[in-house]
């Protein structure tokens, strides 16, 4: 009997696949389309841990939720663990629970033209126990017959709209098949076929094709332009034939290839491989892979290898990888790991291309980083550097972490057979962190550096440190040790302990103790040892903040200031209704100072008071200008009878003149009264002369077309100060010119050096950055020249060439544009040079 009337009921849910809490038998039998009816069939698979299919109810309350017309749910006395029974909805079929391997479909009569359909309500089914595995369901929406267009990475996409409430869902562990027609048996062991717009849903993936054949056991073979796409529609695999295992939820692709925008910064990553197959989580594996981010690999690059693993949103792993530029193989790596996510840890960042260059000291050189990594718990890279003059350098950078997070270890090693120095030198750095328990952890570090380095000859030095921290919600204890030495010239050791406690909401305290010693042997031997005790108590109230500190140092050679003790008060509001904002701080205490290091000096101990007030910032509008001023006052008093004070003032006035000029005037003044170094030598030091300075900055601009800034300054001492200038112009949308320097007034002075920075297009998809110093009075007009050339090829990789005249060096490198953090960048118009010091590999 044709199922056209049934199919119209299913089609009424607007293309959604209506799925149930359970599953039907292996294949639906007898669901076909006649000449007058368009058929739509749905088959549902489920599996238990034993691998047997589960035969349960076909449709449940998701059917009612998928419709626009609400209906009442039947009353049921089922226990809480039982799944609710199907909800009867007019115009929709549902499955009648049956026995054995068969099920019945209740059909809605097809209305005749000019008549109204009469719907016979089906009987209320008995609730059945739900075999659904736990987990979040996945929304099913039937797609088209061809892979939908994907948005390349780096291109903005519209914000997704919320999924409608009650959309049919497929629970984890289930497989659904939708097709125009299905023929074959319904019992296990009876093969069947699905023909026409076949969709197979499982996990996070969907397989689409023209025809699917089920072998009656577990395998579905999809033919007719099949493809596999994820639910987010940013990764698709196509093949000649796809073989799907319904129990293992794995797919095998014949002549498979794909593209993905997951985890890359621009465009797509394209890949293909022999024997390409996928896991239930979407991970793809293949033999003899081909990977590229270029739309035209022949004009760009591609990577081949022996095997490939593609982990969506994480990485691509290629074993025995060969890098090709066009038809030329230029680089080989035993294992290449390409991240498909932003990489913050530099040890996990791969280098796809070697960097080559030349400098006058080391000669021509090649630098490579060979990445390795088993998983996120163990990864890193090897360093291989060869210099024609200096020799061979080999390094290792590795990171290890336990799966339970109890331990993390990082090791950095580099060894150099330095022909220039005539010795072998090494650098080692190691760090380990131990999480002994929820509240106890440790951190240990070791570093060793020999005298390796261009034009350097320093003795080997090493550092060793360790810390153990115990921390609870309101307390923490920190024990630490540090050792450092520089050959036989000097060494030092330090042992410290700190205890911090939050006594209540308003009161906390910290107690610390430190012991240290140091020795040196620079011509004459010396030794010093010291210990320090510090107690700090902090108390807060609604009106003020209080702090008490006792800090005492015991040393063979005295230094610093002892606080025995010091008390500070900082009120939150100080004359709150005054017309200018006021803040205040009062500090009183007793202080001691060791004798100064000269004959006849003695130690000093006396009390001291410091009353500090800050007025401002005062803000005002004066004839269209913005005015701001701040005054900082400190008055000091000592037990010796000495008094001294300071008054510091800052004021600024910013005035716009028309729409293209802004003038900014700033004034600073500091006045000091009292003896400079009395009574303490190391506390409250102040200059003997008062200071004043005024600066005027005039800026002319026209949007971002040009900006001219002139800076004038005076110290009110009768001496002319340099006039600074900076000119930034944008001759075109892709070019920038920057000039900066100063003009020195006076006979025979004037302009001396001007820094020039230039960025301009230099051919198709290429740019040139140029930096130099213009020596107006030197023998060489252009000095310290730096040239940075970059060209993008095929919108997939970038060639970079850096030349520096000062170091007489040339660097050449390549970077892939698609993968995260692989692009070298520069900052035009920012402080410092626009040229990167090293490529961002």
């Amino acid at each position: 009997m044709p199922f056209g009337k049934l199919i119209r009921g299913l089609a009424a849910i607007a293309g959604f696949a209506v799925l149930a809490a359970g599953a039907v038998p292996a294949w639906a039998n007898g669901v076909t389309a006649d000449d007058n009816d368009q058929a739509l069939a749905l088959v549902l698979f489920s599996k238990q841990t034993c691998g047997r299919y589960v035969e349960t109810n076909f449709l449940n309350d998701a059917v009612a939720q998928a419709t626009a017309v609400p209906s009442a749910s039947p009353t049921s006395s089922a226990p809480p663990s039982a799944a609710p029974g199907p909800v009867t909805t007019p115009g929709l079929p549902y499955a009648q629970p049956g026995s054995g391997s068969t099920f019945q479909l209740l059909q809605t009569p097809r209305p005749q033209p000019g008549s109204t359909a009469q719907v016979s309500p089906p009987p209320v089914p008995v609730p059945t126990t739900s075999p659904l595995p736990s987990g979040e369901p996945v929304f099913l929406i039937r797609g088209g017959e061809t892979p939908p267009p994907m948005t390349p990475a780096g291109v903005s996409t519209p914000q997704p709209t919320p999924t409608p409430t009650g959309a049919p869902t497929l629970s984890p562990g289930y497989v659904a098949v939708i097709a125009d027609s299905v023929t074959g048996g319904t019992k296990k062991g009876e093969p069947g076929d699905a023909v026409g717009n076949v969709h197979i849903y499982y996990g996070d993936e969907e397989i689409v094709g023209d025809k699917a054949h089920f072998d009656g056991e577990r395998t579905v073979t999809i033919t007719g332009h099949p493809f596999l796409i994820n639910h987010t529609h940013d990764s698709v695999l196509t093949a000649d034939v796809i073989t799907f295992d319904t129990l293992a939820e794995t797919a095998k692709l014949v002549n498979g290839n794909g593209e993905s925008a997951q985890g890359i910064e621009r465009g797509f990553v394209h890949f293909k491989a022999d024997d390409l197959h996928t896991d239930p989580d979407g991970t793809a594996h293949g033999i003899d892979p081909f990977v590229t981010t270029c739309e035209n690999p022949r004009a760009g690059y591609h990577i081949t290898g022996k095997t490939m693993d593609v982990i969506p949103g994480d990485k691509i792993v290629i074993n025995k990888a060969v890098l090709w530029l066009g038809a030329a193989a230029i680089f080989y790596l035993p294992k290449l790991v390409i991240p498909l996510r932003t990489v913050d840890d530099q040890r996990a960042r791969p280098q796809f291309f070697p960097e080559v260059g030349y400098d006058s000291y080391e000669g021509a050189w090649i630098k490579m980083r060979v990445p390795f990594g088993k998983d996120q718990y163990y990864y890193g890279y090897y360093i291989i550097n060869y210099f024609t003059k200096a020799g061979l350098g080999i390094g290792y950078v590795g990171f290890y972490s336990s799966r339970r997070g109890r331990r993390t270890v990082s090791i950095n090693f580099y060894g150099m057979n330095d022909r220039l120095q005539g010795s072998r030198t090494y650098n080692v750095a190691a760090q380990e962190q131990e999480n002994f328990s929820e509240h106890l952890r440790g951190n240990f570090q070791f570093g060793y550096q020999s005298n390796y380095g261009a034009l350097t000859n320093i003795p080997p030095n090493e550092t060793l440190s360790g810390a153990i921290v115990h921390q609870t919600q309101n307390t923490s204890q920190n024990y630490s040790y540090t050792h450092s030495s520089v050959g036989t010239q000097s060494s030092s050791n330090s042992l410290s302990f700190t205890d911090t406690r939050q006594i209540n909401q308003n009161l906390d305290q910290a107690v610390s103790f430190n012991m240290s010693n140091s020795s040196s042997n620079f011509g004459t031997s010396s030794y010093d040892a010291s210990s320090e005790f510090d107690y700090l108590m902090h108390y807060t109230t609604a009106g003020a903040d209080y702090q008490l500190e006792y800090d005492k140092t015991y040393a063979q050679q005295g230094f610093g200031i002892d606080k025995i003790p010091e008390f500070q008060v900082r009120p939150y509001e100080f004359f709150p209704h005054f017309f200018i904002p006021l803040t205040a701080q009062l500090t009183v205490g007793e202080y001691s100072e060791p004798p100064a290091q000269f004959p006849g000096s003695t130690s000093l101990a006396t009390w001291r008071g410091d009353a500090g007030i800050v007025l401002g910032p005062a803000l005002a509008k004066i004839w269209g200008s913005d005015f701001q001023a701040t005054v900082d006052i400190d008055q000091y008093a000592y037990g010796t009878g000495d008094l001294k004070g300071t008054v510091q003032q800052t004021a600024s006035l910013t005035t716009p003149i028309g729409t293209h000029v802004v003038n900014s005037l700033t004034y600073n003044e500091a006045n000091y009264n009292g003896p400079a170094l009395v009574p303490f030598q190391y506390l409250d030091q102040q200059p003997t002369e008062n200071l004043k300075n005024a600066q005027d900055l005039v800026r002319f601009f026209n949007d971002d077309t040009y900006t001219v800034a002139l800076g004038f300054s005076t110290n009110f001492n009768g001496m002319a100060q340099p006039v600074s200038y900076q000119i930034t112009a944008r001759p075109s949308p892709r070019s920038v010119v920057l000039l900066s320097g100063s003009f020195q007034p006076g006979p025979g002075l004037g302009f001396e050096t001007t820094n020039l920075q230039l960025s301009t297009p230099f051919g198709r998809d290429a740019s040139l950055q140029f930096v130099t110093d213009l020596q107006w009075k030197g023998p060489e007009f252009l000095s310290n020249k730096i040239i940075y050339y970059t060209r993008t090829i095929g919108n997939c990789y970038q060639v970079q060439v850096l030349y520096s005249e000062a170091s007489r060096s040339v660097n050449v490198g390549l970077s892939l544009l698609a993968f995260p953090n692989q692009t070298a960048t520069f900052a035009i118009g920012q402080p410092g040079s626009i040229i990167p010091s090293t490529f961002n590999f």
Side-chain angles (χ1 to χ4, degrees):
M1 178 179 180
F3 280 87
K5 299 180 179 61
L6 162 66
I7 300 312
R8 283 188 176 80
L10 286 176
I13 62 174
F16 284 103
V18 183
L19 303 180
V24 298
W27 203 255
N29 183 30
V31 183
T32 60
D34 57 19
D35 296 336
N36 299 321
D37 295 319
Q38 281 258 315
L40 172 66
L42 184 149
V43 180
L44 202 63
F45 297 93
S46 175
K47 61 179 185 296
Q48 293 178 329
T49 55
C50 60
R52 293 183 294 106
Y53 292 112
V54 180
E55 303 177 5
T56 58
N57 201 16
F58 181 66
L59 296 179
N60 68 348
D61 56 348
V63 176
Q65 297 176 4
T67 62
V69 181
S71 60
S73 300
T75 304
S76 174
S77 59
S81 60
V87 178
T88 58
T89 303
L92 286 179
Y94 74 101
Q96 175 73 22
S99 59
S101 300
T102 62
F103 68 95
Q104 299 176 353
L105 295 178
L106 298 182
Q107 305 175 35
T108 302
R110 183 177 182 179
Q112 300 297 324
S115 63
T116 303
Q118 300 294 327
V119 179
S120 300
V124 177
V126 179
T128 58
T129 303
S130 172
L132 283 178
S134 62
E136 291 293 332
V138 181
F139 288 101
L140 298 184
I141 300 177
R142 183 167 181 168
E145 298 182 1
T146 58
M150 297 190 299
T151 303
V155 178
S156 60
T157 56
Q159 294 295 324
T161 57
T163 304
T165 304
T169 60
L170 176 65
S171 298
Y174 282 73
V175 178
V177 180
I178 301 177
D180 292 340
S181 64
V182 175
T183 60
T186 60
K187 297 181 180 180
K188 186 176 181 179
E190 298 181 1
D193 292 284
V195 180
N197 200 13
V198 179
H199 289 250
I200 300 177
Y201 299 93
Y202 68 99
D204 292 333
E205 313 294 330
E206 174 186 355
I207 303 177
V208 182
D210 295 336
K211 182 179 180 181
H213 173 73
F214 178 58
D215 65 356
E217 295 294 331
R218 59 186 295 173
T219 303
V220 180
T221 303
I222 304 96
T223 57
H225 311 290
F227 64 89
L228 187 154
I229 191 168
N230 62 348
H231 287 169
T232 55
H233 283 195
D234 58 7
S235 182
V236 64
L237 299 175
T238 61
D240 296 338
V241 178
I242 298 179
T243 304
F244 177 67
D245 189 319
T246 58
L247 292 183
E249 294 188 7
T250 60
K252 181 178 180 181
L253 295 84
V254 178
N255 296 328
N257 61 83
E259 64 181 18
S260 175
Q262 284 187 343
I264 61 177
E265 291 185 343
R266 56 192 291 181
F268 296 99
V269 54
H270 307 273
F271 54 89
K272 64 180 179 180
D274 298 335
D275 190 26
L276 186 64
H277 56 280
T278 65
D279 293 339
D281 60 357
T283 301
H285 312 273
I287 299 175
D288 297 330
F290 178 99
V291 179
T292 184
T293 56
C294 302
E295 299 301 324
N296 183 9
R298 294 183 178 273
Y301 82 95
H302 65 274
I303 301 171
T304 62
K306 185 176 181 180
T307 62
M308 174 184 67
D309 301 305
V310 180
I311 305 173
D314 186 15
K315 59 187 174 183
I316 298 176
V317 181
I318 303 176
N319 292 301
K320 297 183 178 181
V322 178
L323 173 66
W324 301 74
L325 286 183
I330 65 168
F331 194 40
Y332 168 81
L333 283 176
K335 187 174 185 178
L336 177 62
V337 181
I338 304 174
L340 297 179
R341 54 184 170 81
T342 300
V343 179
D344 297 324
D345 191 337
Q346 297 299 310
R347 294 164 299 193
R349 183 187 241 170
Q351 179 178 342
F352 302 99
F353 304 98
E355 186 178 349
V356 297
Y358 171 85
D359 64 64
S360 58
Y361 179 78
E362 297 169 320
W365 46 260
I366 180 171
K367 299 178 181 179
M368 294 184 295
R369 286 195 337 200
V370 182
F372 64 84
K374 181 181 179 182
D375 47 33
Q376 67 268 35
Y377 303 105
Y378 177 61
Y379 58 87
Y381 57 87
Y382 300 102
I383 301 174
I384 303 176
N385 297 337
Y386 178 74
F387 307 86
T388 56
K389 293 183 179 180
L392 178 67
I394 297 178
Y396 168 88
V397 178
F399 173 81
Y400 165 79
S401 174
S402 64
R403 294 182 179 271
R404 298 179 59 186
R406 298 285 300 266
R407 177 182 297 109
T408 58
V409 179
S410 64
I411 299 176
N412 295 263
F413 168 81
Y414 186 77
M416 182 74 185
N417 185 16
D418 193 349
R419 294 200 296 259
L420 297 174
Q421 298 289 340
S423 62
R424 293 184 178 181
T425 56
Y426 305 95
N427 296 327
V428 179
Q431 179 178 356
E432 179 181 2
Q433 179 173 325
E434 296 279 350
N435 297 317
F436 302 107
S437 66
E438 181 181 358
H439 302 289
L440 186 64
R441 65 182 185 273
N443 188 290
F444 310 94
Q445 301 183 45
F446 172 77
Y448 174 85
Q449 181 176 347
S450 63
N451 62 343
Y452 168 73
L455 305 177
T456 61
N457 188 19
I458 61 174
N461 61 86
E462 63 181 18
T463 59
L464 174 65
S465 64
I468 297 178
V469 179
H470 178 265
Q471 186 171 6
T472 62
Q473 182 177 0
N474 296 321
T475 66
S476 68
Q477 295 80 37
N478 186 308
Y479 307 83
S480 62
Y481 171 78
T482 302
H483 165 80
S484 64
S485 64
V486 180
T488 59
Q489 296 180 358
S490 65
S491 66
S492 63
N493 298 277
S494 175
L495 178 65
S496 62
F497 164 77
T498 301
D499 180 273
T500 304
R501 296 179 181 272
Q502 184 74 38
I503 299 175
N504 56 42
Q505 184 178 0
N506 300 325
L507 181 63
D508 62 83
Q509 68 175 24
V511 181
S512 62
F513 179 74
N514 174 270
M515 294 190 304
S516 62
N517 63 69
S518 62
S519 62
S520 61
N521 185 19
F522 294 96
T524 59
S525 299
S526 63
Y527 177 83
D528 186 28
S530 64
S531 61
E532 180 183 6
F533 174 80
D534 184 81
Y535 173 81
L536 180 65
M537 182 179 67
H538 181 229
Y539 182 71
T540 60
T541 65
D545 184 275
Y546 303 91
Q547 181 174 291
L548 176 67
E549 183 177 11
Y550 181 91
D551 187 3
K552 180 68 175 178
T553 300
Y554 304 89
Q556 292 180 339
Q557 299 179 4
F559 62 90
I561 296 291
D562 293 332
K563 303 175 182 179
I564 49 175
E566 179 188 76
F567 181 70
Q568 289 185 353
V569 180
R570 291 183 292 271
Y572 296 138
E573 294 185 350
F574 186 72
F575 289 95
H577 302 295
F578 197 65
F579 70 96
I580 297 177
L582 292 176
T583 58
Q585 176 177 302
L586 176 64
T587 305
V588 294
E590 184 175 354
Y591 304 84
S592 66
E593 184 179 62
Q597 301 300 314
F598 53 85
S601 62
T602 60
S603 61
L604 173 66
T606 187
W607 63 268
R608 164 187 173 269
D610 174 17
I613 297 177
V614 178
L615 291 81
L619 307 176
K621 274 280 190 181
I622 302 177
W623 298 321
S625 302
D626 295 321
F627 176 78
Q628 178 175 325
T630 302
V631 179
D632 193 340
I633 303 174
D634 276 283
Q635 176 64 57
Y636 304 96
Y638 305 91
T640 59
D642 296 293
L643 296 173
K644 59 182 178 181
T646 63
V647 179
Q648 301 182 44
Q649 309 171 54
T650 300
S652 65
L653 182 68
T654 302
T655 305
I657 304 174
T659 58
H660 298 285
V661 182
V662 174
N663 184 79
S664 299
L665 180 64
T666 304
Y667 176 77
N668 298 278
E669 180 179 345
N671 296 284
Y672 305 97
N673 191 9
L677 304 177
V678 175
F680 294 105
Q681 295 286 326
Y682 306 108
L683 184 64
D684 303 331
Q685 298 181 3
Q686 62 184 33
T688 57
E689 296 182 358
N690 297 333
L691 305 175
K692 292 189 294 183
N693 175 265
Q695 299 179 9
D696 186 25
L697 178 65
V698 183
R699 189 166 64 94
F700 306 87
F701 60 91
N702 183 7
D703 294 331
D704 63 345
T705 304
Y706 69 85
T707 299
V708 178
L710 300 176
F712 305 89
S713 175
T714 179
N715 292 327
F716 299 95
N717 55 5
M719 298 179 61
Q721 300 299 315
V723 178
S724 63
Y725 58 89
Q726 178 170 314
I727 303 172
T728 303
R730 187 178 293 276
S732 69
R734 296 177 54 197
S735 60
V736 174
V737 178
L738 187 147
L739 292 167
S740 61
S742 61
F743 174 83
Q744 182 69 50
L749 299 177
F751 294 99
E752 293 187 358
T753 302
T754 299
N755 179 258
L756 168 65
Q757 300 187 36
L758 169 67
S759 175
T760 181
F762 199 76
R764 181 179 179 182
D765 297 329
S767 63
L768 179 70
Q769 285 86 47
F770 177 70
V771 176
T772 188
D773 289 330
L774 307 180
Q775 304 292 345
W776 299 103
K777 299 180 180 181
E780 184 182 7
F781 182 65
L782 300 178
S783 64
N784 300 323
K785 293 183 286 292
I786 300 176
I787 301 174
Y788 178 45
Y789 171 80
T790 176
R791 180 180 179 185
T792 301
I793 299 178
N795 199 30
C796 61
Y797 71 93
Q798 193 176 66
V799 179
Q800 301 161 303
V801 181
L802 175 64
Y803 166 75
S804 174
E805 181 187 44
S807 61
R808 289 184 291 177
S809 63
V810 178
N811 288 25
V812 179
L814 298 175
S815 64
L816 305 186
L817 300 180
F819 299 114
N821 296 332
Q822 295 301 316
T823 306
T825 59
F826 63 93
I828 263 288
Q830 300 297 323
S833 174
I834 63 173
I835 302 299
S837 58
T838 58
F839 291 137
N840 189 16
F841 281 108

